[in-house]
Amino acid sequence: MMASSYNAKDEDGHLPGSVGSGGPGAVKSKKPDNTAFKQQRLPAWQPILTAGTVLPAFFMIGLIFIPIGIGLLVTSNNIKEFEIDYTGVDMSSPCFSCSQNYSWNSTSACTCSVPFTLDQPFESNVFMYYGLSNFYQNHRRYVKSRDDSQLNGDKSSLLNPSKECEPYRTSDKKSIAPCGAIANSLFNDTLELFYNHPNGSKITIHLEKTGIAWWTDKHVKFRNPGGNNNNLSSVFRDTSKPVNWHKPVYELDPSDPDNNGFVNEDFIVWMRTAALPTFRKLYRIIQKKKDNMTPTLPPGNYSLEVTYNYPVRSFDGRKRMILSTISWMGGKNPFLGIAYITVGSVCFFLGVVLLIIHHKYGNRNNSADIPN
Amino acid sequence: MALRWLWMLVPWRGDWNPRSKSPGQEEERHVRANDRDYNERFSYADNHIKTAKYNVFTFLPINLFEQFQRFANAYFLVLLILQLIPEISSLSWFTTIVPLVLVLAITAVKDATDDYFRHKSDQQVNTRQSQVLIKGKLQNEKWMNVRVGDIIKLENNQFVAADLLLLSSSEPYGLCYIETAELDGETNLKVRQALTVTSDLGDDVAKLADFNGEVICEPPNNKLDKFTGTLFWKDNKYPLDNEKMLLRGCVLRNTEWCFGLVIFAGLQTKLMQNCGRTKLKRTSIDKLMNTLVLWIFGFLICMGIILAIGNTIWEQKVGSNFWEYLQWKELTISAVFSGFLTFWSYVIILNTVVPISLYVSVEVLRLGHSYFINWDRRMYYSRKATPAEARTTTLNEELGQVEFIFSDKTGTLTQNIMVFNKCSINGKTYGDVYDEFGHKVDITEKTPCVDFSFNPLMDRKFRFHDSSLVEAIKLEEPLVQEFFRLLALCHTIMPEERNEGELVYQAQSPDEGALVTAARNFGFVFRSRTPETITLYEMGQAVTYQLLAILDFNNVRKRMSVIVRNPKGQLKLYSKGADTILFDRLDPSNEELMFTTSEHLNEFAGEGLRTLALAYKDLDEDVFDEWMKKLLFASTALENREEKLGALYEEIEQGMMLLGATAIEDKLQEGVPETIACLTLANIKIWVLTGDKLETAMNIGYSCNMLRDDMNEVFIISGHTMVEVRQELRMAKERIMGPGKDKFSSGLDMEKTELYSSDSVFEETIIAEYALIINGHSLAHALEADLEQILVDVACLCKTVICCRVTPLQKALVVELIKRHKRAVTLAIGDGANDVSMIKTAHIGVGISGQEGMQAVLASDYSFAQFRYLQRLLLVHGRWSYHRMCNFLCYFFYKNFAFTLVHFWYGFLCGFSAQTVYDQWFITLFNIVYTSLPVLAMGLFDQDVNEQYSLRYPNLYRPGQLNQLFNKRKFFTCTLQGAFAVTIATSLVIVVSAQIGLDTNYWTAVNHFFIWGSLAVYFAILFAMHSDGIFTIFPNQFPFIGTARNSLNQKIVWLVILLTTVVCIMPMVAVRFIKADLYPTHTDKVRLLQQASRRQGPQEQNFRRVRRTSSRRSAYAFAHQQGYGELITSGKNMKVPTASTSTYPLSSPARGNSVVKNSVVSGTTDAAETNSTGFRRESDQNQEVTVEDLEAR
């Protein structure tokens, strides 16, 4: 028998009889089926990294990424952002005295006023954030210390919250609503903004307090128990307020029943824990003026009135207030643009280097010298 | 089918172990026949066999216990327990329990199925019927009720139920025949003979019932060929030996009935004692994986400790200040305690570096690869309807790393079929086929065969292609007739005619069978014989010859003769034997014929055929009478009888007339030389380990192209003492290394020698090819501790190693030697029971299936019908498996590191609190759903190089042998890459998907489906889990409502994903490109070639043609013919293959020495080795036979 012929024979040369007998009901042969799958001959695309594909890919990435990066950087630079630290660490800080006698228990509010100046006008909607530093909202014990079904308005969870909430589960033998460490540590500073008009008058800037939470959170995830029962105080009758809170949950925003109780947007925003220990959370929105002619925040002197309730000094925390406009890419973020430009250039550069290497040393004719 | 699938899924083979019940105490066995009360005092094992491990009640606890002994299972159990502690639990318990339960359940089902089948087979064996003599009557009893001391009756073709002492049989002299194929793989019949005193009992039940002999014998042991005992009966002592024993597992043949006394029963029978424990084989990747898992585990502990320390410090420095927001009772104890708890929390979180899905996935892959082997049509042997079978599913990737192949000869390389192929009668050759132009035609399957229908007694399986011989027969040419008459008369075969015309020859050697069968088909049918006569049917006419003398074969004479008187009253001496011997004893008138014939003989030998010369002599009545008297006198001589007989034989075998010569082909299996050549190119060393004689082995070596005429030197080691063997090995080494270079004694360590051989000798070994042939008795010395080092050195410097006359045990020892010294993956391939030990010892055992015995197959890991499939198994399946598994593991570790290390980095940001970055559903599903299928698809379908190229470039096999594709370095690269690719959630899924895209070389529809499908599934699940609906149902489990919607709505998120993907992928692309561009591996090159050839479709045809013309077959043929021609012109005679047969070692000392200078090949060597009949016999029967083998029948 010829040496090389037996492969070919076995491949297609199964005995003619066995082909015919393949019909249904025929005796089952032990011969494996001749399907592309079983014989591992599935049609396939077999890409290889060659100079022809890799180098253009690198150049393409370079050429695409650099413009994107430039675009991002320009957009980011057009975003105006202003940040002010009002923690009151320094003696000179207006909030220094407030920060000194902080306590959760203090009943009398301490207020301070921080002046600042905007050099540039803020157009369009301005977003007002509060920022905390060194605050570990991402600590495991903290993160899990909540009861989502209680927050979703579940009656039984309201009176009997999850064990995860410990040690903020009950106080005075009453269940806490909302329970848990996250709720307990709700940010409770009140920030107000005033524009010091050059003519000396102090104009209150209207701060929109709704629309700052995700729609899904406000309408699906968080719900007051008892549905649309407006009498929240009766709903929460058998519960106790979180230990650190000054007022119970149904008094978070007594003026607006849609923003009270668990569906209070400040509360919802707080309950979405931050991933990093330094974070900012949306506090208010300053709507742009209707006439669209004057900027939302014209340049000039402003003052930030703080009702200082939230102690952060104990853990070296900082509190900030941030004003920012946004664009399609969200807030100010020069890093992304820079990163795009860098990656794009690196890719392009790599492309060039690889091209040189390939040209100089590469084996373009390397199929010829395969042994055997 | 489903069950089968399940148990194949699980890696470890059932390793049940039939332990005998503490045989240590028993020092002597007393058995009294027909006295159960007496025998029961010793509480011998009964004939009940239990191989099953569990019963219904013990299954769960025992099985679970066994399963939790596996490291991985125990690890996940511990994790599960940790997760139940709320202070520690950083992940929900379901992340672990789901996969764990799955794995445990699959394994348990597999074990249960296995055990069920064992129960069934036990049951089947235990309930077999046998006739037991109870209370003077023969009663049918189940096997399990047979007791030691019972007398049982066996009938023809029955299995022997226990180890019996043969008492009597239907045959005269208490003889009985047994077939021991189940025990030792030998298919020829063996004779057992009862003691005369007991055989007189006959089948008289009453006498047998009265028989009260007592046997005192050795305790149960596993020596199949030894038995010592004594029978005490009627105040007499009779010694007992193995020749009187019928062992369990034998089959009674040609004997109507026999009676036996049960000596050993059940688990104490020799067969059961020989049931070797099936060793659990693990691949090197497996071992590496285990090491790596341990390392990873260590790494995990390290990370845990770092993070725990971080936690302690953090709690002290920062956390204590954060107290107001984060009260925690336990923390009041101490920060160190918090750190301690954090450690465990992190162990849980980071457990995904050693994902349980790794083990499951690896098993799935291997199972898939096994199925591909089972499904391969090119490894299906249609003639025997035998597909290839992967009997072990755990070794596939190791098939891609084999460095040494140990092959049996008979039945593996050869078909064990001797074919009368050619002959030379009176100076004319027959057997070649010529076309109309007078050119020789290659004989293939399609060549028309000679029609023997004129002969009603023909053997239908016999094929002969040259019709001129039949014509000569039909023309009644006297010499042609005499030629076949000789073949029909001069032999020692026993005929058996079951039905009219259905002749079966019981031949001691297959060569003789082939010759007599040839004579039969050509019209000289050997029909029957008696001690004094031989009856032939010559062209349909019964002719009876008187057989006057058989001048038997031995290794010195190398010939046998018969003296017969034909019906006409003429006295004739017919002789056949080695040409060199016969030519010396011819009548001088034969010189011319002798010359022609010897030319033909050279021609035959050049084709690798075994040859015999035939001669006859007319005897004178007076001379014969005279001689006969002397013979009778000599045969009664007390001294030097052998010598005197030899001298007498010599005297009459003189002046013979040459008739011609025969050529017998020891048929190789199809494609063997090509396969060997191809595997050699793949740098796999092939060693032949055979029980056959030196000459036969060498002959096969030549015809397999393992030995070639152009080899520099063939070393033959056949010393009988340690010193001689050492001397021979040293000399061989010196010759290879060159004189004076050999400064290395056997004591030197391997590395040095290898180093040495790799630089200075390396080139020489490339050019110079050596072969080593070592005899069994020399091997015994060489395998001793002193010499094994030099043996390994020499053997590894040689291209070809052939060990002949080795026992099954030695086969295993040789394999063991290489395993120990070379750290290489070994593969043993064989077909018979004598290969079982070797098959079990080697890393991979391959059995040739479709043959008579099943032992080898049952002990093997892979089985197929033809040796040549090995090429495909290794070069295609093995290579792919290895490649796939390596890529799979690399990717898997990469993926899990990328996935898990995020938590490590995040630990620094979240106060080391073991907070997870992802939601736990993502963690649960990441490995199982989001990323498992693409990598599985790659692991199953990837082909870096397609099968044609795999076979065409055997060099591609090299990386596997060098362990290049997955090793510790590779592992670190993968993990580093993983550490680099730390990204979050969505972009992680995309990055790992892109990476698998990059890793996949062979994108089938399935790959596309899985990769894109996984991404789609990811997003689907993501949105589903973050949807309103599922939140309203389980608010606590799915708190991430709306996250996906809200975040993926933002363009910047997509920009970030794009950026991270590119950042994570591009460096790898660059590195790979540079590697492939600057230092392309063979694989890269072949892939390029493959791609190029695919683009230009027609070129492939071209390639094929090129390949065909340069096919190795023709190269092999050329090489042989060239060498042959050279020899002719140089005037020398042919080398060793010229003269070698299996039965009659014909090579003369002079010839042997002309080739093999430093060795002693001589008749004396073989005379000492071969018993006088030239019977092939495995001397060592002490081999492992598993019960399954026996009970499978």
Side-chain angles (χ1 to χ4, degrees), chain B residues 1142-1161:
Chain B
S1142 82
T1143 331
Y1144 307 93
L1146 300 175
S1147 81
S1148 70
R1151 282 191 178 182
N1153 281 348
S1154 72
V1155 191
V1156 234
K1157 285 148 194 142
N1158 62 342
S1159 67
V1160 199
V1161 183

Side-chain angles (χ1 to χ4, degrees), chain A residues 25-71:
Chain A
V27 182
K28 213 174 174 188
S29 156
K30 276 200 264 175
K31 180 153 194 167
D33 302 331
N34 191 10
T35 57
F37 174 71
K38 287 190 173 181
Q39 301 307 316
Q40 306 196 59
R41 283 193 313 247
L42 288 173
W45 172 55
Q46 301 175 46
I48 304 181
L49 295 180
T50 55
T53 50
V54 173
L55 297 181
F58 272 94
F59 288 124
M60 284 294 285
I61 288 173
L63 290 179
I64 293 171
F65 270 37
I66 294 175
I68 292 181
I70 291 171

